[in-house]
Amino acid sequence: MVLWKKYSVLFVICAFFGVLAGSLFKSSYFDALKEVVDNFSDYVINRFLYVGNAEKIVLLIKIAVKRMGPFILMWLLSLTIARIPYIIWLCVKNGFCMGFFSCFMAMAYGVNACRYIPMWYFPQIIIYAFVYGFCIIYITKNLQKKRKSVILSMTLLMFAGCFAEAYINPVCLSYVFS
């Protein structure tokens, strides 16, 4: 089986287990998480479009720190024996979290979740998926051609994803949540 298919299957399996865990343990988290998501959606609808540039830059920095950490760690581990276990862990963690959160959104918002879930991840997920997919293939095939160029271009794309998450995603969410 092609390498990217193996990791995609692993991701989907973990997403399924995330959905399963989300439905099995609903009573332990549902009310608190619903309150957090409702407060966030209220913030996005009523406040985000009116905050200043300084607050948006702080949000961009927070997102960049959060997203760049695993990305940088993946490249640091790419030359070690730990690269494959780390890539597997990334697929497992992200698949489980996406499945769990999608299950929660479906239970909390019913039919509206069909609109909320895609917009929650749009447009940054397209960029992140491309970057991680390309990097995983590059690292697991142990390619060494133009390594510095690849790392630089993928880092710039990650920053573009962070920018999209900080500036474009809240606008998309405000249209959907309103």
Side-chain angles (χ1 to χ4, degrees):
M1 186 183 293
V2 179
L3 188 63
W4 65 271
K5 286 183 181 179
K6 289 180 183 179
Y7 290 115
S8 298
V9 167
L10 178 64
F11 180 86
V12 170
I13 289 169
C14 291
F16 171 76
F17 282 114
V19 169
L20 187 63
S23 42
L24 289 176
F25 301 111
K26 177 182 177 185
S27 62
S28 65
Y29 73 89
F30 187 82
D31 295 332
L33 187 57
K34 177 96 165 78
E35 184 178 332
V36 168
V37 172
D38 287 343
N39 288 340
F40 176 77
S41 63
D42 178 54
Y43 171 78
V44 167
I45 293 168
N46 296 320
R47 295 185 198 103
F48 183 80
L49 298 175
Y50 305 105
V51 299
N53 283 334
E55 291 86 0
K56 289 180 181 180
I57 290 172
V58 169
L59 177 63
L60 176 62
I61 291 169
K62 285 182 178 181
I63 290 171
V65 167
K66 181 179 180 182
R67 301 292 183 223
M68 294 303 289
F71 176 76
I72 291 169
L73 186 58
M74 180 176 61
W75 281 107
L76 290 175
L77 294 175
S78 70
L79 297 174
T80 70
I81 195 166
R83 71 179 178 266
I84 300 300
Y86 183 73
I87 289 170
I88 291 170
W89 177 81
L90 277 176
C91 292
V92 168
K93 177 190 78 101
N94 290 328
F96 185 84
C97 289
M98 187 176 267
F100 187 90
F101 190 73
S102 297
C103 176
F104 161 75
M105 291 294 280
M107 290 186 298
Y109 299 104
V111 176
N112 288 330
C114 294
R115 291 184 344 205
Y116 296 167
I117 293 170
M119 279 301 129
W120 195 271
Y121 297 111
F122 181 80
Q124 70 274 11
I125 195 70
I126 297 167
I127 299 169
Y128 295 150
F130 172 77
V131 168
Y132 275 106
F134 183 84
C135 291
I136 287 170
I137 291 170
Y138 187 88
I139 290 169
T140 54
K141 291 205 180 261
N142 210 11
L143 302 174
Q144 298 298 322
K145 295 179 183 176
K146 301 183 181 180
R147 187 173 183 84
K148 291 179 184 177
S149 299
V150 168
I151 292 173
L152 178 64
S153 60
M154 292 299 112
T155 301
L156 291 175
L157 277 174
M158 280 297 289
F159 277 120
C162 295
F163 182 83
E165 189 171 355
Y167 286 90
I168 299 170
N169 181 260
V171 175
C172 295
L173 284 175
S174 69
Y175 288 124
V176 171
F177 281 129
S178 59

